[in-house]
Amino acid sequence: MENIYAIVIGISDYQDPAISKLKYTHADAKAFAELLTDPDRCGIPKDQIKILIDEEANCYNIKDSISDWLFQNANEDSTAVIFFAGHGGSEPSRRPGATDASDKYLLPWDTKLKNLYASAISCLAFNDLLDRVNVKRKVIFMDACYS
């Protein structure tokens, strides 16, 4: 398991009080990270896993974990694992001529519900982040609406 890198994100309690709390997402993320490091199961070294829980899972830290930490550590023979448990959301599309009436987002901890476009990570932006990481395999686990 030397060449596997994981980013595990779990958000239960959001900064914006307008975003409802989730009961188990932070616990699910912690349990998933424990599964990955368990020597009898996956055995991934702890320094190859980045865990972002609640306020640590802000927009900057999520993007930085993928675009810098994962990009710098993984290589073309690596496997990248991304686990996200938290809210997803949508709002009317702001793209002219959009064929879909709404844009979909992953909601980091510091999302402002009144403007997802400015404060959340669009699914298009998330895919773009992942496309910039040159690894052999990408395994994505999403537990979010609109994911």
Side-chain angles (χ1 to χ4, degrees):
M1 297 296 170
E2 302 130 20
N3 210 0
I4 298 177
Y5 294 87
I7 299 171
V8 179
I9 302 161
I11 311 165
S12 291
D13 192 9
Y14 284 80
Q15 181 181 39
D16 185 343
I19 300 174
S20 63
K21 291 183 180 184
L22 297 168
K23 290 185 179 181
Y24 306 109
T25 49
H26 69 287
D28 291 346
K30 289 177 182 178
F32 188 75
E34 288 175 15
L35 171 82
L36 293 177
T37 58
D38 184 330
D40 295 329
R41 297 206 170 135
C42 299
I44 300 170
K46 288 184 180 185
D47 65 341
Q48 290 175 214
I49 299 175
K50 190 150 207 53
I51 303 169
L52 303 172
I53 303 295
D54 287 334
E55 64 273 358
E56 296 168 340
N58 61 56
C59 190
Y60 177 85
N61 285 347
I62 292 171
K63 289 180 175 181
D64 183 62
S65 294
I66 297 169
S67 68
D68 187 49
W69 181 80
L70 186 59
F71 181 82
Q72 296 295 331
N73 288 290
N75 60 50
E76 60 188 22
D77 292 323
S78 297
T79 297
V81 176
I82 310 287
F83 177 95
F84 180 92
H87 277 299
S90 71
E91 67 181 7
S93 180
R94 296 172 185 240
R95 293 175 288 134
T99 57
D100 191 354
S102 64
D103 290 332
K104 311 311 188 269
Y105 298 88
L106 297 176
L107 277 54
W109 172 81
D110 53 345
T111 297
K112 306 290 185 253
L113 191 59
K114 68 178 185 165
N115 189 343
L116 299 182
Y117 178 79
S119 63
I121 301 171
S122 74
C123 290
L124 295 173
F126 183 74
N127 288 336
D128 186 53
L129 280 168
L130 294 177
D131 285 345
R132 294 169 191 266
V133 178
N134 184 25
V135 294
K136 192 172 197 174
R137 290 167 295 279
K138 295 172 189 164
V139 180
I140 313 297
F141 295 91
M142 287 287 165
D143 180 9
C145 294
Y146 306 104
S147 61

